[in-house]
Amino acid sequence: MSVQERKERERAVRERLIVATARELAEQQGWDAVTTRQLAERIEYSQPVLYSHFRGKREIIGAVALEGAAELAAAVRAATAAADGPRERVAALARAYLDFAARNPAVYDAIFQLDGGLPYAQQDTPEPLKDAFAALLECLGEVAGDGVHPGLFTETFWAALHGLATLTRAGRLPPEDTEPRVELLVDRLAIT
């Protein structure tokens, strides 16, 4: 292995450490606790080292969002692959999405709530974000219905899931009613 290859590998390891530490800190204490100073202390590198990887917190949030989007896509695909029939796939998608949001609130915020400097719904949207949407579209496109644009249907269903996730987490909706909400959403919006 050349010196250059070793340096690139070490750089990639440091970058993964920064992202993992930011994510852990955000999940434990919220995104306000994620500062370059706090990250530098936790990973035992200087702040200039952090800045050699990311220009600031915004880029770190973006990196967490991209990682989280890939995880969300994988969770949705795994859940829908294990389900038989359109109704069961849509219900599995909804449960997987809501479960991901509940288990990873800081990551969910990085993807959908915070400014990570990432373009959404544009030509230059990063691939992990496009793939997360594609994971929803793969399942929801099959139940969009005649004359309904599959992408618009997926956006609408996704918006409903996002609303359920954020309202439940904010304490505006009781969590014990999540399953009846999923059933209602699937039966009234997705399966007609």
Side-chain angles (χ1 to χ4, degrees), residues 143-145 186-192:
V143 298
V186 170
D187 289 339
R188 301 292 183 184
L189 185 58
I191 306 297
T192 55

Side-chain angles (χ1 to χ4, degrees), residues 80-98:
T80 58
D84 288 328
R87 186 195 185 290
E88 291 76 17
R89 279 190 290 279
V90 173
L93 176 148
R95 288 184 193 105
Y97 184 97
L98 294 172

Side-chain angles (χ1 to χ4, degrees), residues 8-185:
E8 287 174 12
R9 188 183 69 211
E10 289 171 355
R11 180 172 176 75
V13 167
R14 271 194 317 269
E15 192 165 301
R16 284 192 302 273
L17 177 62
I18 294 166
V19 172
T21 303
R23 181 177 174 161
E24 179 182 307
L25 185 58
E27 292 292 2
Q28 292 171 352
Q29 299 177 33
W31 279 105
D32 287 342
V34 179
T35 64
T36 55
R37 183 179 189 174
Q38 182 74 288
L39 286 173
E41 287 176 16
R42 282 203 175 202
I43 66 171
E44 299 178 348
Y45 283 104
S46 68
Q47 285 181 290
V49 169
L50 264 75
Y51 285 117
S52 74
H53 290 274
F54 299 99
R55 286 185 291 213
K57 182 176 176 176
R58 181 178 187 218
E59 283 189 4
I60 294 169
I61 290 169
V64 171
L66 294 176
E67 185 177 274
E71 292 171 11
L72 176 59
V76 165
R77 285 190 175 109
T80 58
D84 288 328
R87 186 195 185 290
E88 291 76 17
R89 279 190 290 279
V90 173
L93 176 148
R95 288 184 193 105
Y97 184 97
L98 294 172
D99 183 57
F100 179 88
R103 284 185 298 105
N104 305 284
V107 173
Y108 188 83
D109 285 350
I111 301 168
F112 298 116
Q113 303 284 98
L114 301 175
D115 179 9
L118 303 172
Y120 285 77
Q122 297 176 23
Q123 196 68 22
D124 60 342
T125 297
E127 196 54 42
L129 299 177
K130 288 180 181 179
D131 190 51
F133 184 78
L136 301 176
L137 180 62
E138 289 161 11
C139 176
L140 295 168
E142 73 177 305
V143 298
D146 294 337
V148 177
H149 187 280
L152 292 177
F153 178 78
T154 300
E155 290 171 350
T156 302
F157 196 90
W158 169 31
L161 288 175
H162 178 70
L164 290 176
T166 56
L167 290 170
T168 301
R169 188 166 119 207
R172 304 299 196 270
L173 298 174
E176 62 272 10
D177 291 332
T178 296
E179 187 58 28
R181 285 189 201 96
V182 166
E183 294 296 319
L184 183 63
L185 185 60

